[in-house]
Amino acid sequence: MNMSELIQTVLIYALPVIFAITLHEAAHGYAAQRLGDNTAAMMGRVTLNPLPHIDPMGTILLPLLLYFSTGGAFLFGYAKPVPVRFDQLRHPKRDMVWVALAGPASNLLQALLWGVLLYVLAGSGMTERFFLEMCKAGMLTNVVMFAFNLFPLPPLDGGRIVVGLLPWRQAVLFSRVEPWGFFIVMALVITGVISAWWMQPLMGVTFDLLKLTLSPLAALLR
């Protein structure tokens, strides 16, 4: 890509990425609040305002630096984690699973809604490439976040789900991985292990599911 194409791609992805990150983190906080922990709500993190969720380095500078330096070949970023006190949940071990699931579930729902918007715009004769590409970017961004966050290693959501489902003894042992989890995940990302063995298969199944769910709308708009 030349610089003009890179900037255009950033503009296309900006809104979907902001929504994906904001709703993902807010969903964690909302689920925790409903299940007994008000920590995130008291800190203003159960909100659709993206500003409280943005980490200047992880959400803006790092992704932009990687995107422009690699020509879009490698991209990674993160938001401020929503604070959750699992000991405040009514059923800590069980409710941990629901709090962790809330984030990826919000991304799956957003992917579906972007798909609905794409089908409606295309079906109405919309030819403006920018908006159609934004809808596709919204689907891709949220499916990526859905699949990546379900990887079963703490501190990712999938790791917390595993901790919540394991028997106590095994859960305690597995949770000890968390201090090194980020570095392990990054190593697996860089070496392509997560992409080949986790992301691509799960994303393929997810897109097939979305296509199946949207097929009645597609048939209606033909």
Side-chain angles (χ1 to χ4, degrees), residues 137-188:
M139 292 187 72
L140 178 59
T141 297
N142 281 284
V143 169
V144 167
M145 284 192 66
F146 171 75
F148 182 74
N149 279 284
L150 284 179
F151 188 74
L153 190 72
L156 296 178
D157 297 328
R160 299 196 187 281
I161 291 168
V162 172
V163 170
L165 294 176
L166 285 173
W168 272 107
R169 182 178 178 82
Q170 288 82 356
V172 170
L173 290 173
F174 187 66
S175 65
R176 291 177 182 172
V177 175
E178 184 159 346
W180 300 278
F182 175 81
F183 302 103
I184 296 172
V185 169
M186 284 303 301
L188 293 175

Side-chain angles (χ1 to χ4, degrees), residues 7-181:
I7 293 174
Q8 185 179 43
T9 302
V10 169
L11 293 176
I12 287 171
Y13 274 84
L15 191 61
V17 168
I18 289 172
F19 272 124
I21 290 173
T22 298
L23 293 177
H24 179 103
E25 297 301 333
H28 283 312
Y30 177 75
Q33 183 181 25
R34 296 287 294 179
L35 294 169
D37 175 34
N38 290 319
T39 305
M42 292 173 64
M43 296 180 68
R45 297 298 303 278
V46 185
T47 175
L48 298 183
N49 179 0
L51 294 180
H53 304 295
I54 290 176
D55 181 283
M57 175 59 71
T59 311
I60 301 173
L61 295 180
L62 179 61
L64 286 176
L65 178 63
L66 289 173
Y67 189 85
F68 284 109
S69 63
T70 66
F74 181 75
L75 189 62
F76 184 81
Y78 54 87
K80 290 180 183 177
V82 165
V84 178
R85 289 190 57 185
F86 293 105
D87 61 306
Q88 295 294 311
L89 299 174
R90 285 188 284 272
H91 305 281
K93 196 165 180 298
R94 183 195 70 189
D95 292 346
M96 177 192 303
V97 174
W98 295 113
V99 172
L101 274 173
S106 76
N107 293 124
L108 185 60
L109 177 59
Q110 287 179 78
L112 178 63
L113 294 177
W114 280 111
V116 169
L117 184 57
L118 174 63
Y119 278 50
V120 170
L121 291 179
S124 65
M126 166 71 72
T127 58
E128 174 55 56
R129 176 180 172 273
F130 182 84
F131 295 110
L132 296 176
E133 291 298 322
M134 180 180 289
C135 292
K136 294 176 184 177
M139 292 187 72
L140 178 59
T141 297
N142 281 284
V143 169
V144 167
M145 284 192 66
F146 171 75
F148 182 74
N149 279 284
L150 284 179
F151 188 74
L153 190 72
L156 296 178
D157 297 328
R160 299 196 187 281
I161 291 168
V162 172
V163 170
L165 294 176
L166 285 173
W168 272 107
R169 182 178 178 82
Q170 288 82 356
V172 170
L173 290 173
F174 187 66
S175 65
R176 291 177 182 172
V177 175
E178 184 159 346
W180 300 278

Side-chain angles (χ1 to χ4, degrees), residues 143 147 198-211:
V143 169
W198 181 264
M199 296 292 290
Q200 292 180 26
L202 184 53
M203 286 177 64
V205 171
T206 305
F207 273 117
D208 287 343
L209 177 62
L210 289 171
K211 185 177 180 180

